[in-house]
Amino acid sequence: MASASSSVRESTVADALNTAAFSPFHLKAMWAASMGFFTSAYDLFIIGTALVLIKAEWHLSASEVGLIGSISLIATFAGAYFFGILADKLGRKKVYGLEAILMTIGALLSAVAPNVTVLLIARVILGLGIGGDYPMSAVLMSEYANAKSRGRMVSLVFSAQAIGLVMGPVVALTLLAAGMNHDAAWRVMLGLGALPAMAVIYIRRTLPESPRWLARVKGDSATAERQLASFSLGTAVANKSDKIVKQPLSKYWLTLLGTAGSWFMFDYAYYGNTISTPMVMHHLAPHADVIQSTALSLIVFAVAAVPGYFLAAFTIDRVGHKTLQMLGFFMMGLMFLLIGAFPILTQSIAVFLVLYGLSYFFAEYGPNTTTFVLAGEVFPVNLRTTGHGLSAGTAKVGAFLGALVFPILLAKFGLHGTLMITFFFALAGLLLTAFCLKEPSGRTLEDISGEDNVVPGPGNRPVHA
């Protein structure tokens, strides 16, 4: 590559990746990353159905139900912070796959838990792995992707969450309809979460290092160029060394407020509602048994949520990443406002399901997808997993609070009061997006982050081969 003719346009590793054609390598990386999000969705949301059975068997209090449902989310916060910072320091490859091992251990331990204490420990281990998966998978796909279709590629990775979201109720309904003992049923539900994570441990450990990180953080352009060739990225060629990037995090405080703040607001609303959906359905139809309430949850997820994920993936680069997030927050909040302000709407189960389903559609066709994408593209390469990890981790504090207090709010204020509170979180997310973030759609990672606006100091000069 270094011997390329002078008639060939000079191209850095970043330039080559930004213009590289989609290849079989991208499919392999997307599959490896997607299985993590299938696992995280299944594991985080199946607990809502499992808790209905565990509560009856172990005679849990409302606070115990809230803690079991939310403890993995606070662990996710810690995992995202830790893995995010570590991957910027050591590289993506040295860390990727370790989070899948934690998810496997956590799911298996959950399945054999003899009491509340062991179940809580298992959910913490699971949460640490899930937290680590957020910055690792998002950033690797962003850094492998070209500028034109980056949003679609990263969104498709995240869309695997849709399958995990639906698979939970499907598994639960299958086991319960088959007449399985409730103690065995919830254990099988939780244990099955180990399978997809286990399946991608090896492939994740063998994926190559991000060429962007090698060239622009480590300063190893030669290895980065060899990685480019191994990706089989068509005509992508680098014949010019990249700059070393050492941007300070303090320069990105407003960006971090936008990514972490909007994601926090969204996750409070989303995880609080989703983990507690079986309870919401029971509140709406108090005479429904666990199979009926789970079936109602499945209808909402399959009909409303799943199309939102995939529509977002295939339109995000045309609509705009920031624009789609604002649209989703607005429509999601509007649905919560209608349900909360007009109790008469919930007198009809059909009307309620339409509004509640629309809130899910615009959650997926909006901030659930875009918060994940945006946080992986607006920070410089030396801070990219750190920024994403801080954002995802902060978001999971919101998710923890939502999952913890939603059952309590539901008992105290009823469905309408609880969703009115959720409306204000959606409104806050909309405002943070509008005032703190810029539109990254169609732009390169280097342009979005401004990482080439070199900060004076040692190591920030262009490196020549």
Side-chain angles (χ1 to χ4, degrees), residues 291-427:
I291 293 179
Q292 292 169 328
S293 63
T294 301
L296 287 174
S297 302
L298 177 59
I299 291 170
V300 171
F301 295 156
V303 175
V306 173
Y309 278 100
F310 290 99
L311 183 61
F314 288 102
T315 63
I316 185 171
D317 289 313
R318 293 197 301 273
V319 175
H321 307 179
K322 174 183 175 179
T323 302
L324 187 59
Q325 180 155 305
M326 293 176 64
L327 172 66
F329 266 127
F330 176 80
M331 294 301 297
M332 185 177 101
L334 179 61
M335 297 307 112
F336 291 141
L337 178 63
L338 290 174
I339 296 171
F342 302 99
I344 192 172
L345 294 175
T346 60
Q347 292 181 5
S348 166
I349 293 180
V351 173
F352 172 82
L353 288 177
V354 168
L355 294 177
Y356 197 66
L358 283 172
S359 77
Y360 266 99
F361 174 81
F362 283 105
E364 319 309 352
Y365 188 66
N368 196 29
T369 300
T370 55
T371 49
F372 178 78
V373 174
L374 283 163
E377 57 187 359
V378 294
F379 296 99
V381 64
N382 67 304
L383 298 171
R384 195 162 286 139
T385 55
T386 298
H388 197 288
L390 291 173
S391 301
T394 301
K396 291 306 172 282
V397 175
F400 169 78
L401 292 175
L404 180 65
V405 306
F406 201 92
I408 300 170
L409 294 175
L410 199 59
K412 186 172 183 180
F413 298 111
L415 181 62
H416 308 291
T418 302
L419 292 183
M420 278 299 295
I421 295 171
T422 307
F423 158 72
F424 287 106
F425 277 83
L427 178 61

Side-chain angles (χ1 to χ4, degrees), residues 1 19 24 60 79 88 119 129 213 220 255 281 331 369 373 423 437 460 463:
M1 293 184 186
T19 57
L60 302 178
D88 273 334
L119 182 56
W213 184 86
D220 189 352
T255 299
M281 296 306 171
M331 294 301 297
T369 300
V373 174
F423 158 72
L437 298 175
N460 286 322
V463 174

Side-chain angles (χ1 to χ4, degrees), residues 134-441:
Y134 273 80
M136 295 306 307
S137 292
V139 168
L140 268 174
M141 284 313 306
S142 290
E143 292 183 343
Y144 289 152
N146 61 48
K148 182 179 179 181
S149 58
R150 183 182 59 250
R152 182 176 72 246
M153 289 172 61
V154 180
S155 296
L156 282 172
V157 166
F158 190 71
S159 295
Q161 189 183 82
I163 311 302
L165 195 67
V166 169
M167 190 56 65
V170 168
V171 168
L173 282 173
T174 302
L175 297 177
L176 294 172
M180 180 176 284
N181 174 277
H182 283 189
D183 178 69
W186 71 258
R187 293 180 185 279
V188 172
M189 289 178 202
L190 299 186
L192 286 174
L195 297 180
M198 193 183 302
V200 296
I201 291 173
Y202 174 76
I203 191 171
R204 287 189 172 195
R205 297 300 297 154
T206 58
L207 284 174
E209 181 58 87
S210 163
R212 294 181 200 262
W213 184 86
L214 282 170
R216 301 174 72 84
V217 178
K218 193 175 181 181
D220 189 352
S221 294
T223 303
E225 291 165 14
R226 287 196 298 272
Q227 297 284 28
L228 266 180
S230 73
F231 290 1
S232 300
L233 294 180
T235 59
V237 173
N239 52 24
K240 176 185 175 184
S241 295
D242 291 69
K243 294 178 180 179
I244 297 294
V245 178
K246 289 190 176 181
Q247 294 284 9
L249 187 59
S250 59
K251 182 179 176 181
Y252 295 87
W253 68 268
L254 185 63
T255 299
L256 186 59
L257 178 62
T259 55
S262 61
W263 206 345
F264 174 96
M265 299 302 171
F266 173 76
D267 270 16
Y268 169 87
Y270 187 71
Y271 281 82
N273 282 357
T274 304
I275 290 177
S276 297
T277 291
M279 300 176 199
V280 170
M281 296 306 171
H282 181 73
H283 189 91
L284 185 69
H287 300 297
D289 60 24
V290 64
I291 293 179
Q292 292 169 328
S293 63
T294 301
L296 287 174
S297 302
L298 177 59
I299 291 170
V300 171
F301 295 156
V303 175
V306 173
Y309 278 100
F310 290 99
L311 183 61
F314 288 102
T315 63
I316 185 171
D317 289 313
R318 293 197 301 273
V319 175
H321 307 179
K322 174 183 175 179
T323 302
L324 187 59
Q325 180 155 305
M326 293 176 64
L327 172 66
F329 266 127
F330 176 80
M331 294 301 297
M332 185 177 101
L334 179 61
M335 297 307 112
F336 291 141
L337 178 63
L338 290 174
I339 296 171
F342 302 99
I344 192 172
L345 294 175
T346 60
Q347 292 181 5
S348 166
I349 293 180
V351 173
F352 172 82
L353 288 177
V354 168
L355 294 177
Y356 197 66
L358 283 172
S359 77
Y360 266 99
F361 174 81
F362 283 105
E364 319 309 352
Y365 188 66
N368 196 29
T369 300
T370 55
T371 49
F372 178 78
V373 174
L374 283 163
E377 57 187 359
V378 294
F379 296 99
V381 64
N382 67 304
L383 298 171
R384 195 162 286 139
T385 55
T386 298
H388 197 288
L390 291 173
S391 301
T394 301
K396 291 306 172 282
V397 175
F400 169 78
L401 292 175
L404 180 65
V405 306
F406 201 92
I408 300 170
L409 294 175
L410 199 59
K412 186 172 183 180
F413 298 111
L415 181 62
H416 308 291
T418 302
L419 292 183
M420 278 299 295
I421 295 171
T422 307
F423 158 72
F424 287 106
F425 277 83
L427 178 61
L430 172 62
L431 295 175
L432 284 165
T433 303
F435 291 107
C436 297
L437 298 175
K438 296 179 181 179
E439 179 57 69
S441 181

